Amino acid sequence: MIVQEQCCVAVLEDTMCNTGINMAKDQGACDSLFTNTCETKTTKMCCDCCLLGKAAQEQGLSCDHSLSVGYQCGLVSRACCEYGTHDNQTTPAGQIELPNRDETQDNGDNSGLTDQCNGKCAHLCVGNDTCACSKGYKLKPDGKSCDDINECLLGASNCRGGERCINTEGSFRCQREVSCGTGYELTDNNNCKDIDECETNIHNCEPQFECQNTQGSFRCFPKMKCGAGYVQDALGSCIDINECVSQTSPCHRGEICINTVGSYICHRNSVNCGRGYHLNDEGTRCVDIDECKGLEKVCKGHGCINLVGSYRCECEPGYIFNSISRTCEEINECRHYPGRLCAHKCENTLGSYKCSCTTGFKLSPDGRNCDDLNECEANPCSQECANVYGSYQCYCRRGYQLSDIDGLTCEDIDECALPTGGHICSYRCHNTPGSFHCSCPVTGYTVAPNGRSCQDIDECVTGTHTCTVNESCFNVQGGFKCLSFECPNNYRRHGEIVTRLERSDTIRCIKTCQPNDVACVLNPTHSISHTFISLPTSREFLRPEEIVFLRTTVPAYGSYHLGSYDVKFEILEGNVENAFDILKRVENGMYVGVVRQVKPLIGPVTTVLKLSMRNLTTQGDSGQNIVNVHVFVSEFWF
């Protein structure tokens, strides 16, 4: 479609451009194209540019001027300029013989001249290093190369009306704009010649017909000739001519014409009886015909009453007598009594009618009214069915939904795939027909009584741990840890070893120095403690969470030996990803160190936060206590 459109536009532009060039050549002005409409835009452009070329020629300027007028305008301008320099040549009307310097060398005998130019010319050499071009070409500004002349653009073609000029390399050709049409062919000289279908045997005449050529077509004539009284039809068959109809009064006055095959006969005219009468045996008068006694059953199953010159039918119930066609016509009760015979639909039958009901109803015993049909008795639904007036409704049990395709089948609802499916179960959701169930990780968890959450198994309580006698069992989310701690030198354990550690339990080692052990006495660490905490993987971490509290018995801002007293809390080791910090605040008048989780941690992660509580006085440090917080982050968020 794009090619067709662009081709059509190109042809129109060429035609309009040629019109403008010819107007510039013939009239020497473009005033008639003053109304620069869309149709005359290209025509006026080519006309103006041609005048520009003619003006350059008249002023003796070079035709190959380099004006910024566009490619097509420059081409038209140069062509009209060069055309004007050869106006003194005699040319046929409407043609332009383009200037060529080789017209005297068409005999081909220019080998000597070519040698004089030392082979620098593209086409021909005319001596003195001067080049020329063959017919249909013009010399380029370099004086050596040749460029094709567009005879179509210059209007130099000899194409006739109805033909279109097409430029070719060194020449041009004319092509008809309109095809010859059916029955004609285009000859080499661009004329339309009639096709003899009979001679070329491309006709469709039947074997009993002869083909006769006509201009642009052909005709089929029958081979067989018909005799007098017959005429041939379109198929070549001979049919009888009804002379009584086709001829004007073939018989004498008082006679009647009777057609025969191939001819006709004339009989003396007799008494003519009207419809419903016939001539008596003597042929003198007309008597009534009793149509009811004739061989032809005029009323066809209905009663017949003869009348003078006619008859009347006594029609059966459901029929009515038509006096025009004199037949019993069936009555369409549904049309005569609309809406009064049947409650829903009325269907006409021969001599009667019958009622029917729309979908969802059945005909009542009276044959006219319609009762609601209980479709649920046929079990159309896959689960539950509710009958409604004129229809029914299917619905499904809990955990199922009605199919959007047929509205009958109940499909299982995949609760796990619902938008809230990710929150139905703590761990994994498994769809089942009409329901679902949740599961938890294989080890360390069990499904909670609500069937959705995962509940940690305390292996330390159930005795399913694998800790030895010398180890203490500490329950973590989804598992357990076997822990054992030994106090370092110069420290002794405070309290007994327990087999099961709770979150609030603390294992404490108190400094105990031997006599005269100065290094031990100078050691600022008074105690080393161990405490434990189990954390889940952070699912939605919105704000810092306080997890450990280091409580002291030091009054806030209190005096100690006539001087002020303070406590400093620090995290010395184990702060993975800087996920924890420690703050100091006052609770109930005492200093408290609060360990917070400030960043989410994805488990499983195990770390030991080594915390320092240093006692500060105006005289300096008076000692510190070390608290090791064993943090176990589970793999799951529950």
Side-chain angles (χ1 to χ4, degrees), residues 485-488 491-494 504-511 525-532 548-551 608-613 624-630:
F485 300 95
E486 296 291 337
C487 291
Y491 290 87
R492 62 178 178 81
R493 182 164 182 159
H494 179 73
S504 58
D505 289 345
T506 301
I507 297 175
R508 182 175 290 106
C509 296
I510 306 297
K511 183 173 73 170
T525 303
H526 297 307
S527 67
I528 300 174
S529 303
H530 297 271
T531 188
F532 319 96
V548 175
F549 298 89
L550 304 180
R551 304 185 185 277
V608 178
L609 291 176
K610 187 174 181 180
L611 309 178
S612 168
M613 292 192 305
Q624 70 173 351
N625 295 315
I626 300 297
V627 179
N628 295 301
V629 180
H630 297 259

Side-chain angles (χ1 to χ4, degrees), residues 82-83 85-92 95-110 113 123-126 130-139 146 149 151 156 170:
E82 294 176 357
Y83 168 72
T85 59
H86 297 274
D87 280 346
N88 56 353
Q89 297 182 8
T90 303
T91 60
Q95 294 187 0
I96 301 175
E97 284 293 336
L98 299 175
N100 277 328
R101 301 179 183 176
D102 63 328
E103 293 179 354
T104 58
Q105 282 84 24
D106 281 346
N107 55 6
D109 187 15
N110 61 355
L113 296 176
H123 282 190
L124 305 171
C125 174
V126 296
T130 302
C131 298
C133 296
S134 302
K135 187 176 181 179
Y137 295 86
K138 64 178 179 180
L139 199 64
C146 295
I149 297 173
E151 294 85 356

Side-chain angles (χ1 to χ4, degrees), residues 186-298:
L186 191 65
T187 62
D188 295 336
N189 58 2
N190 226 27
N191 292 324
C192 291
K193 175 187 174 184
D194 172 57
I195 299 174
D196 191 340
E197 293 86 357
C198 301
E199 183 179 345
T200 56
N201 199 28
I202 59 174
H203 61 84
N204 59 352
C205 296
E206 297 293 334
Q208 64 269 26
F209 289 84
E210 291 181 353
C211 176
Q212 180 178 339
N213 186 58
T214 62
Q215 283 295 320
S217 185
F218 62 93
R219 290 193 175 183
C220 300
F221 292 95
K223 296 178 180 178
M224 183 178 65
K225 306 299 180 184
C226 297
Y230 294 90
V231 68
Q232 279 186 323
D233 60 6
L235 300 177
S237 304
C238 294
I239 58 175
D240 173 54
I241 299 174
N242 189 344
E243 294 82 359
C244 299
V245 176
S246 62
Q247 299 182 14
T248 304
S249 301
C251 296
H252 297 292
R253 188 172 184 179
E255 294 180 336
I256 186 172
C257 177
I258 300 174
N259 184 58
T260 61
V261 178
S263 183
Y264 66 95
I265 57 175
C266 295
H267 276 289
R268 184 176 61 87
N269 194 8
S270 59
V271 177
N272 187 20
C273 296
R275 183 179 180 181
Y277 296 88
H278 66 92
L279 203 61
N280 62 359
D281 295 338
E282 292 79 16
T284 57
R285 63 187 180 90
C286 296
V287 295
D288 173 57
I289 298 174
D290 189 350
E291 294 86 355
C292 297
K293 294 183 179 179
L295 297 177
E296 183 183 358
K297 302 299 182 182
V298 291

Side-chain angles (χ1 to χ4, degrees), residues 161-172:
E163 294 180 341
R164 178 185 173 205
C165 176
I166 299 176
N167 185 56
T168 60
E169 191 70 24
S171 183
F172 64 92

Side-chain angles (χ1 to χ4, degrees), residues 30 44 118 191 225 256 285 287 307 311 339 341 395 403 415 422 478 532 537 564 566 570:
C30 306
K44 188 174 187 308
N118 296 322
N191 292 324
K225 306 299 180 184
I256 186 172
R285 63 187 180 90
V287 295
L307 301 174
Y311 68 93
L341 299 177
Y395 61 96
S403 170
E415 293 84 358
F532 319 96
T537 291
S564 61
D566 197 2
E570 281 185 285

Side-chain angles (χ1 to χ4, degrees), residues 35-54:
T35 56
N36 190 11
T37 62
C38 183
E39 290 78 10
T40 62
K41 186 175 182 180
T42 302
T43 305
K44 188 174 187 308
M45 183 273 289
C46 290
C47 182
D48 290 339
C49 295
C50 186
L51 290 179
L52 184 65
K54 291 179 68 177

Side-chain angles (χ1 to χ4, degrees), residues 302-367:
H302 299 273
C304 180
I305 300 175
N306 185 55
L307 301 174
V308 177
S310 183
Y311 68 93
R312 181 169 60 84
C313 295
E314 290 289 335
C315 300
E316 297 291 329
Y319 293 84
I320 188 172
F321 182 68
N322 189 327
S323 57
I324 298 175
S325 63
R326 296 199 297 177
T327 57
C328 288
E329 294 180 347
E330 196 264 332
I331 300 175
N332 190 335
E333 294 85 357
C334 299
R335 186 177 299 171
H336 277 73
Y337 314 105
R340 287 185 284 170
L341 299 177
C342 301
H344 284 188
K345 294 189 292 185
C346 177
E347 182 181 350
N348 187 57
T349 60
L350 284 176
S352 184
Y353 67 94
K354 66 177 182 180
C355 298
S356 61
C357 299
T358 57
T359 304
F361 294 89
K362 61 181 178 180
L363 199 62
S364 300
D366 61 8

Side-chain angles (χ1 to χ4, degrees), residues 69 73 133 140 151 154 230 258 265 324 334 351 388 422 426 576 591 623:
V69 292
C73 182
C133 296
K140 286 187 177 181
E151 294 85 356
L154 296 175
Y230 294 90
I258 300 174
I265 57 175
I324 298 175
C334 299
V388 296
S426 296
V576 291
Y591 286 121

